[in-house]
Amino acid sequence: MAIRLSHGIIDYSQVRRLPIEPQVKNVVRFAKRSLRHELADRLFMAIVSGELQPGERLGEVRLARQLGVGQSTLREALQELEYRGLLTKKENRGTFVTSLTVELVEEIYAVRLELEPLAAALASSEMSGERILILHGLLKRMRNSGAAHKVNDFINYDEEFHRAIWRFSGNSALQRALNLICPPLFAFYLIHSRFTIQLESDLQLDADEHLKLIEALATRNPEQARTVFRNTLEDFRRRHIRHVRSLPSQPVAKNSLEDQSTTHAGADTQI
């Protein structure tokens, strides 16, 4: 079955389990015409379907051989997924499927709670009717996705909503910082949505909170926008921590063990 993409968002209903290391029997190889985006999409599906588990270590040489692509193409695809927060690169250890802990969530929110309200204040001071319409359009897509219980679509539109606000701040340094630290938070819900979001009401509640953010921005009052965003993000933080704690225990991925990293260090170059 062909994988259909709509505006860059995976149709989760069409995800097929993609066998990834350590054992692959019938690996689908990519034609030369395929670019890193297709490869990134396939790896994305392997992650959100659970074929690649949180904490699992990805070996560049072995994975490139199994997928029939060059290492440079694979490296670009991995970098794209790292940017989206789905992969985490650890110095001298390699690249792993993102696995959030309560401690890491707290660290990320400690920074986000300072930076995103600032972005909201800056965006509010320059907010236009056109930008408000853009945010309402994204919120409508979130609501429609929630009503259809298309969780992955909902999360992607949610992330796009926040990235738009960071962009509207007009501060490129602030935008880069938020783009760097926040993606793992959204990636967490893509990876664990089957455990953390069970009811349509959960999604609609989240959408209602985003409406309050738009209303705060529309006032063009920077301090009011800053306050509303900080209070709402604090609610997000508490909910996120609760969801991390509620996850069922996961088996340790074979390739994520440090002793295997040492074993393969000489035979298989990792990134």
Side-chain angles (χ1 to χ4, degrees), residues 129-195:
E130 181 182 359
R131 290 178 173 181
I132 290 295
L133 287 176
I134 290 173
L135 294 175
H136 273 296
L138 291 169
L139 178 58
K140 182 178 180 180
R141 292 182 177 92
M142 288 172 62
R143 290 193 186 279
N144 291 341
S145 298
H149 205 62
K150 294 182 177 180
V151 177
N152 284 354
D153 287 4
F154 183 97
I155 296 165
N156 276 293
Y157 287 127
D158 186 357
E159 183 172 10
E160 190 175 345
F161 178 97
H162 287 275
R163 286 186 188 274
I165 295 170
W166 306 340
R167 188 171 64 254
F168 294 160
S169 74
N171 187 312
S172 60
L174 184 57
Q175 183 181 348
R176 285 196 301 272
L178 286 163
N179 279 325
L180 177 65
I181 66 167
C182 291
L185 300 175
F186 296 98
F188 168 84
Y189 285 106
L190 287 172
I191 296 170
H192 297 291
S193 61
R194 60 190 181 278
F195 299 121

Side-chain angles (χ1 to χ4, degrees), residues 57-118:
R57 182 172 180 266
L58 305 183
E60 180 185 326
V61 171
R62 181 177 300 179
L63 190 56
R65 183 172 60 249
Q66 291 172 331
L67 295 174
V69 298
Q71 286 179 240
S72 60
T73 302
L74 176 64
R75 186 178 297 113
E76 291 174 350
L78 295 178
Q79 289 173 344
E80 181 176 327
L81 293 176
E82 183 183 358
Y83 172 78
R84 298 179 66 182
L86 290 158
L87 298 179
T88 302
K89 184 179 292 184
K90 299 181 181 180
E91 188 174 0
N92 299 324
R93 292 182 58 194
T95 300
F96 298 77
V97 178
T98 296
S99 179
L100 283 188
T101 63
V102 170
E103 293 73 22
L104 182 54
V105 171
E106 289 280 25
E107 288 179 1
I108 294 174
Y109 268 98
V111 180
R112 187 183 185 188
L113 280 165
E114 297 299 325
L115 297 188
E116 189 159 353
L118 173 58

